[in-house]
Amino acid sequence: MKFELVDRQGYIPDLNYGVSGQELSCFIPSDYPFQQVNYNNGEGEAIIDKHTWHFFFTQEGIGIKLMDGIVTLKEAEHFLLDVKSHIWGETHTQVQIFMAGATPK
């Protein structure tokens, strides 16, 4: 399952990466304990609540992909809304959440 958080005006705030081994804290809200699996050049994977999530930049925003584990759509939405608030703030209303993926051929 892959999602994108996209601001309608194309705005992505400057992210403050965490300390070494916790760089992905710029994507992950502080009330979500996580274990960073890897990090390279602004993207990486973290285990959050026994699920592996990949955080990365897309052409239009921020991508978040569930790499391992199963969540309901409601659980994913709750997590994505928390990530959106963490990155853009509580009052920013221009960010849309999309499910993303390749179209089958």
Side-chain angles (χ1 to χ4, degrees), residues 6-103:
V6 178
D7 179 276
R8 293 178 189 163
Q9 271 74 48
Y11 170 70
I12 299 175
D14 289 333
L15 299 178
N16 296 318
Y17 294 95
V19 298
S20 181
Q22 296 286 302
E23 292 92 348
L24 296 177
S25 63
C26 64
F27 295 106
I28 303 167
S30 59
D31 54 340
Y32 285 88
F34 72 96
Q35 175 189 353
Q36 188 165 293
V37 176
N38 60 52
Y39 172 80
N40 185 25
N41 200 27
E43 69 176 67
E45 294 179 0
I47 298 171
I48 303 167
D49 196 26
K50 301 180 185 172
H51 300 91
T52 304
W53 294 90
H54 182 204
F55 298 88
F56 56 99
F57 291 96
T58 67
Q59 288 182 346
E60 299 170 342
I62 295 188
I64 303 168
K65 182 175 181 181
L66 179 64
M67 303 297 290
D68 182 32
I70 298 172
V71 297
T72 66
L73 190 54
K74 192 57 115 176
E75 290 169 327
E77 178 186 35
H78 178 57
F79 177 63
L80 294 167
L81 287 170
D82 288 347
V83 171
K84 175 189 111 30
S85 293
H86 178 68
I87 294 172
W88 280 273
E90 291 287 332
T91 59
H92 193 79
T93 60
Q94 298 297 313
V95 178
Q96 299 176 0
I97 299 173
F98 295 98
M99 287 186 77
T103 306

